[in-house]
Amino acid sequence: MSEALLETRDLVKHFGGIKAIDSVSIKVMEGEILGLIGPNGAGKTTLFNCITGTYKPDGGKIFFRQKEITGLPSHEIIKLGIGRTWQIVRPFKKMSVLDAIATGSLLRYSDVEKAKEKAKEIASFLGLPKDILEKRGEEITLMQHKLVDLARALATEPKLLLIDEVGAGLRPSELSAMIDTLQKINSERKVTLVVVEHIMRLVMSISKRVIVMHEGRVIAQGKPEEVSNDPQVIQAYLGIKPI
């Protein structure tokens, strides 16, 4: 890790009188897995939405690979190499799994058959069995939905992947498999990951560095063991001052 792949500088986003993001400055280093945690309403998903062009920031700047991308539309940001998954899975219920993944690869391949071949390769990489590729989105399990969401994002060939609560609703065995999958994406496909997660087992086991948000601001950052013992973090999560 030698340089910042993504950087936000004094980023601000408000909704009426509420500052959902309040002067947030972070750096994501190329090649890392960065955990982004905080209580509900801390501003984590809003930060993702600003980075990916879903929301236009009200202040501050965003840089990706040293190029300012503040306020660019989502399709341009995806083409630059930033992908994402969503907090709630967005299944293509009437579309086959293969076609759903191929919608991502069509960003890079204009030929539909080439896009489908790329989709098959990514599905295989993520361990999706061949027999579900022709199933419709409404016919697969939650874990498979999560993998399809990941596959669709990977099909856009991102350099940076923002992952929003991919562990939610998974059983313990599925969570272990997802941890392995995220580490595999990072190590084998060389994709930098920022992972928003409430399941501490997941985020603390894969992150080399963790940023903690509370009420729209960054309150702590560092190694997982450092932030988990930070008094401000304990107070933000528990609402009490540590003894």
Side-chain angles (χ1 to χ4, degrees):
M1 299 188 297
S2 56
E3 61 184 21
L5 182 64
L6 176 83
E7 182 179 2
T8 70
R9 298 179 189 170
D10 298 317
L11 206 64
V12 174
K13 180 63 185 177
H14 53 72
F15 301 100
I18 299 173
K19 275 192 176 181
I21 297 292
D22 188 2
S23 301
V24 169
S25 297
I26 68 168
K27 289 184 178 182
V28 181
M29 308 308 291
E30 188 162 9
E32 76 173 330
I33 300 179
L34 174 68
L36 181 60
I37 66 173
N40 287 329
K44 307 179 298 295
T45 297
T46 300
L47 179 61
F48 274 12
N49 286 336
C50 289
I51 292 169
T52 57
T54 304
Y55 296 156
K56 185 175 181 179
D58 296 307
K61 295 182 179 182
I62 306 168
F63 295 88
F64 180 63
R65 305 178 93 175
Q66 288 75 56
K67 176 183 178 181
E68 187 177 357
I69 63 169
T70 315
L72 289 181
S74 294
H75 68 274
E76 290 187 24
I77 290 173
I78 293 171
K79 286 182 179 179
L80 289 173
I82 300 179
R84 75 171 295 177
T85 66
W86 297 84
Q87 188 174 2
I88 299 173
V89 292
R90 298 188 168 191
F92 289 37
K93 292 183 179 180
K94 302 299 181 182
M95 186 180 288
S96 73
V97 167
L98 178 61
D99 287 345
I101 299 171
T103 60
S105 49
L106 282 168
L107 179 77
R108 305 292 181 188
Y109 302 90
S110 57
D111 182 271
V112 173
E113 291 308 311
K114 286 184 179 179
K116 286 186 175 182
E117 285 304 310
K118 182 67 175 179
K120 289 178 182 177
E121 183 269 319
I122 293 171
S124 175
F125 172 79
L126 292 178
L128 283 164
K130 289 183 180 179
D131 61 359
I132 79 155
L133 294 183
E134 297 307 320
K135 288 186 177 181
R136 292 179 298 181
E138 62 188 4
E139 300 175 312
I140 62 177
T141 68
L142 176 62
M143 178 65 174
Q144 290 168 341
H145 274 306
K146 302 264 187 179
L147 291 174
V148 170
D149 275 5
L150 277 172
R152 192 163 58 230
L154 283 177
T156 67
E157 300 182 5
K159 298 295 183 184
L160 171 66
L161 185 53
L162 310 179
I163 299 172
D164 201 347
E165 294 195 39
V166 73
L170 299 183
R171 297 189 296 266
S173 61
E174 293 172 332
L175 194 64
S176 295
M178 184 60 73
I179 288 170
D180 291 342
T181 296
L182 296 179
Q183 291 173 324
K184 184 179 177 183
I185 290 170
N186 177 251
S187 63
E188 296 187 19
R189 297 192 90 90
K190 309 302 180 185
V191 178
T192 302
L193 305 181
V194 181
V195 181
V196 163
E197 191 54 72
H198 284 292
I199 300 174
M200 291 300 102
R201 175 191 162 198
L202 188 156
V203 73
M204 293 299 185
S205 66
I206 67 173
S207 303
K208 298 297 183 185
R209 193 163 58 94
V210 175
I211 291 176
V212 187
M213 293 184 66
H214 181 51
E215 296 180 343
R217 301 182 69 90
V218 173
I219 62 169
Q221 56 183 305
K223 294 179 180 179
E225 59 272 19
E226 293 172 347
V227 300
S228 62
N229 292 309
D230 187 294
Q232 287 191 86
V233 176
I234 295 170
Q235 185 175 358
Y237 271 99
L238 300 180
I240 58 175
K241 294 182 179 181
I243 297 173

